[in-house]
Amino acid sequence: MRTHFVGEVALDLARLESDLATCRSLEWTEAYSDYVFGGSWKSCMLWAPGGDAGDGVVTNYVYDRPAGFTAHAERLPYLAELIRETADLDRLNFARLALVTDSVIIPHRDLLELSDLPDETRNEHRMHIPLATNDNCFFNEDNVVYRMRRGEVWFLDASRIHSVAVLTAEPRIHLMLDFVDTPGAGSPARVAGGGVEVGIPADRIVTRPPLGDDERADLLGLAPLLSMDTFDEVFSIVIKKHFRRDGGPDFVWNTMLELAAKSPDQAVLPHTEELCKHYTLERSA
Ligand code: YCP
Ligand code: CO
């Protein structure tokens, strides 16, 4: 299923704020923080196979146990109700809160590590509902940068290369739901609205000026500074540039590979190639 905007849920802001305040005191995991530069990517599991919050790593759940609400969800009555009303629970594998501040996420594909699971249990469709966000929060898929607004329901094609930038200290909190695929059963969202053909509406897309030649040269000028010690900082600069300028398809990984090839530190190129493969091509559980 291609990425598309579905519709909106009418949020009860008072009840939402109350649950968002409560959720901050729950236990969040830092699983997948290796995808992130700057801060962390924290998640809080509200629904999972077996009903245990677990460690947040989706390969560490027993998929043949029936899924259900976790103890966290019992503390968040409004969010539990929102999940019940918005999702087909029969097809729901996971519902998590995802919290990001002041961070960028490495362009990656999800689901790669789930390829060994049988089709009928594997996460296949991902829904996002932003609960706290602002204009400095961006999503990226392929070479499109866009914003999702609070209360909107989106399906994301997590098998395409995507990344995120939260260029603000204000917390961005999304409700993220993963569904199994059931061919022919219709949308797992209980929200009326646009089908796949709606895609990413034009008014959500952020128009980025093309990356100028001088800007590209400045970026490549980081090569002499790029070493294993500075790797994360340089990578983070390249990802941030991607959200402000259009450097063309695969800009982030291409730029990192080009920089790595010019780095005086011999370890950087194999490391970059290894990461590129891990995040975009193949990954074991
Ligand atoms: C995402 N993908 O795209 C998540 C973040 C790693 C997996 C954590 O939001
Ligand atoms: Co992802």
Side-chain angles (χ1 to χ4, degrees):
M1 183 163 21
R2 294 296 314 268
T3 293
H4 66 282
F5 169 71
V6 181
E8 282 170 60
V9 286
L11 292 172
D12 179 330
L13 293 184
R15 295 183 67 204
L16 174 66
E17 292 311 326
S18 157
D19 274 14
L20 290 184
T22 307
C23 81
R24 299 304 292 271
S25 63
L26 299 176
E27 203 187 315
W28 295 69
T29 84
E30 300 215 352
Y32 302 105
S33 282
D34 56 323
Y35 285 67
V36 177
F37 296 128
S40 56
W41 190 87
K42 291 193 183 163
S43 63
C44 180
M45 198 59 89
L46 305 185
W47 173 281
D52 295 323
D55 66 1
V57 177
V58 297
T59 43
N60 293 344
Y61 291 78
V62 183
Y63 280 70
D64 52 16
R65 289 174 63 198
F69 282 115
T70 67
H72 293 326
E74 274 152 37
R75 305 273 314 275
L76 306 169
Y78 179 63
L79 294 180
E81 187 179 304
L82 190 62
I83 293 166
R84 247 185 256 113
E85 286 175 0
T86 318
D88 178 355
L89 299 184
D90 290 338
R91 288 184 267 172
L92 184 62
N93 261 357
F94 294 98
R96 312 173 247 183
L97 292 171
L99 170 68
V100 194
T101 39
D102 263 330
S103 301
V104 292
I105 292 186
I106 296 175
H108 66 280
R109 294 180 213 276
D110 289 314
L111 314 173
L112 295 173
E113 64 273 53
L114 301 179
S115 55
D116 292 341
L117 289 173
D119 285 351
E120 61 279 11
T121 61
R122 182 174 56 210
N123 298 344
E124 183 63 33
H125 302 297
R126 173 164 300 166
M127 189 164 110
H128 269 243
I129 306 177
L131 300 175
T133 190
N134 60 69
D135 280 353
N136 297 310
C137 302
F138 305 96
F139 218 88
N140 154 249
E141 178 179 306
D142 294 335
N143 199 26
V144 175
V145 169
Y146 64 100
R147 293 191 183 93
M148 296 181 239
R149 300 177 189 151
R150 174 150 89 165
E152 292 183 345
V153 179
W154 289 75
F155 275 106
L156 302 195
D157 184 350
S159 69
R160 287 176 177 260
I161 295 185
H162 58 279
S163 64
V164 175
V166 176
L167 304 176
T168 165
E170 269 179 60
R172 182 203 87 155
I173 303 176
H174 280 202
L175 184 62
M176 203 171 119
L177 296 91
D178 286 307
F179 298 92
V180 296
D181 193 29
T182 35
S187 171
R190 302 233 177 281
V191 178
V196 183
E197 56 290 346
V198 173
I200 304 170
D203 63 351
R204 307 306 201 289
I205 294 176
V206 177
T207 314
R208 296 163 300 153
L211 183 77
D213 291 343
D214 49 342
E215 292 174 304
R216 195 179 294 272
D218 286 347
L219 268 184
L220 294 176
L222 292 171
L225 291 174
L226 176 59
S227 66
M228 293 302 284
D229 289 344
T230 62
F231 190 85
D232 289 4
E233 285 79 7
V234 171
F235 204 167
S236 170
I237 290 170
V238 173
I239 298 172
K240 284 179 180 173
K241 184 61 84 178
H242 172 55
F243 282 88
R244 300 298 191 192
R245 294 287 183 273
D246 180 356
D250 298 318
F251 166 75
V252 172
W253 283 110
N254 285 347
T255 305
M256 282 310 293
L257 288 164
E258 203 175 333
L259 282 168
K262 295 191 175 114
S263 160
D265 183 340
Q266 300 291 305
V268 167
L269 184 57
H271 178 64
T272 310
E273 288 169 340
E274 187 53 43
L275 287 187
C276 183
K277 189 171 142 199
H278 174 80
Y279 286 107
T280 69
L281 289 175
E282 56 182 276
R283 190 162 62 228
S284 51

